[in-house]
Amino acid sequence: MVLALLHLTTFKEGTGIRAWKGHDWNAMDRLYKRGYISDPQNAAKSVRMTESGAQRAQELFQKHFGR
């Protein structure tokens, strides 16, 4: 669910996609270990989403919160 919710806060930066990281740290670490986001353990307020992470986030958002 956290990956789906990250879709709500995505924004483009340069050629990549980032998302604000105001979610549970354990969940963010699991997403990092699965290769969906960059390492959340840094001073930035957002994380870079991988291409597969951004795509999966959008799919999950539509599945669980879309009409």
Side-chain angles (χ1 to χ4, degrees):
M1 282 299 162
V2 172
L3 187 58
L5 292 174
L6 282 174
H7 177 71
L8 288 174
T9 63
T10 58
F11 60 95
K12 289 191 178 210
E13 182 176 77
T15 59
I17 298 175
R18 298 188 69 84
W20 298 111
K21 62 179 186 183
H23 296 281
D24 178 71
W25 285 106
N26 291 325
M28 296 296 283
D29 282 335
R30 287 191 302 273
L31 292 174
Y32 169 63
K33 288 177 183 175
R34 292 181 182 164
Y36 291 128
I37 63 172
S38 63
D39 190 354
Q41 302 282 333
N42 60 43
K45 293 183 181 183
S46 63
V47 290
R48 183 185 50 80
M49 297 191 73
T50 62
E51 189 174 318
S52 63
Q55 181 178 1
R56 187 69 178 136
Q58 184 176 13
E59 292 168 358
L60 289 170
F61 182 81
Q62 291 299 323
K63 178 181 177 182
H64 295 288
F65 301 109
R67 291 183 182 229

